[in-house]
Amino acid sequence: DIENIEVISKSQLVLSQFPSIITGEKKVIKIPLDGHGNLLVNFAGPLGIDVYPQAISAWDLLKSERSSDVSGKLVIFSDISTQAGDYSPIPLENLFPRSYLISNAVNTILSEQFIRDTPGMISSLIIGLFVIVIILMCIKFDTFKFNIGSLCVTVLYVVGVFIFFLVCGLILPLIPVIAPLGGVYLFSSVFKHSHTERH
């Protein structure tokens, strides 16, 4: 019901008295938004019967001998018979059926497998931390150890980003951290090389 939907901010939406799929008991679902009022959809995968086994073609339904019982189920209809039908572009595909996009959004809410974006302040802290680590390695290590250490720090961060996304659904900044890190590494390498040459 509309009175059980509360918009806290552009970063959170609360659904109270929401029935649980398994038990049917009422509960509160806190939906994280992206700061602009949008839900980050946990995408199941590309279009295919193996990813969306409950998708039913209207034509197959009409030809079928037995009737499909959809009572008590949430059914989403759309016309995807032609490219001019109910399609939208998404980041992973040029055209994707809107009904599948809505079903992905519904599944994200019902399963509570939300994707959370990190605030800009966290990105700045991560960049600052890695810049300090690179500078300290530049001061303490010789050229070979510095290069290996910098590479290890970068690889560990990239692996950590993927692990956090897969396990926690948390999006950590990748390019905004790697780009400044690369700049600091290059500057530190040039500084270290010139310092060594001077000696």
Side-chain angles (χ1 to χ4, degrees):
D1 295 329
I2 197 77
E3 62 267 14
N4 293 327
I5 301 171
E6 185 182 359
V7 180
I8 304 297
S9 67
K10 289 185 177 180
S11 298
Q12 191 178 56
L13 178 74
V14 175
L15 305 177
S16 49
Q17 299 295 314
F18 198 86
S20 170
I21 308 171
I22 301 159
T23 62
E25 293 177 6
K26 306 288 182 177
K27 61 179 180 177
V28 175
I29 296 182
K30 294 180 180 177
I31 302 172
L33 305 176
D34 69 347
H36 302 286
N38 301 309
L39 170 70
L40 295 174
V41 176
N42 197 339
F43 186 56
L47 199 58
I49 197 69
D50 52 331
V51 181
Y52 303 98
Q54 293 181 322
I56 302 170
S57 160
W59 179 247
D60 292 341
L61 199 61
L62 289 171
K63 287 195 311 182
S64 175
E65 300 268 330
R66 58 186 181 82
S67 62
S68 290
D69 183 20
V70 291
S71 57
K73 302 233 167 83
L74 178 63
V75 180
I76 302 165
F77 291 97
S78 70
D79 175 17
I80 56 170
S81 57
T82 63
Q83 292 289 341
D86 257 348
Y87 285 89
S88 287
I90 63 169
L92 300 172
E93 293 189 31
N94 290 335
L95 287 175
F96 192 73
R98 286 190 197 110
S99 54
Y100 287 81
L101 188 58
I102 292 167
S103 71
N104 274 286
V106 168
N107 185 59
T108 301
I109 294 168
L110 292 177
S111 63
E112 296 184 60
Q113 293 181 335
F114 299 114
I115 295 175
R116 293 170 176 82
D117 204 358
T118 50
M121 183 112 172
I122 303 259
S123 302
S124 302
L125 286 171
I126 292 170
I127 291 168
L129 177 71
F130 279 112
V131 165
I132 291 167
V133 168
I134 295 284
I135 290 170
L136 286 175
M137 285 194 309
C138 177
I139 294 167
K140 298 284 183 188
F141 296 156
D142 61 32
T143 306
F144 179 74
K145 286 181 183 173
F146 169 67
N147 287 334
I148 296 297
S150 298
L151 181 65
C152 287
V153 164
T154 306
V155 169
L156 282 173
Y157 180 71
V158 170
V159 169
V161 166
F162 282 104
I163 289 171
F164 269 98
F165 179 73
L166 293 173
V167 174
C168 308
L170 184 66
I171 300 174
L172 290 171
L174 187 61
I175 301 301
V177 171
I178 297 295
L181 209 60
V184 171
Y185 167 74
L186 287 173
F187 177 78
S188 301
S189 295
V190 169
F191 173 78
K192 195 157 194 65
H193 181 73
S194 62
H195 186 69
T196 306
E197 286 294 314
R198 195 159 52 246
H199 274 282

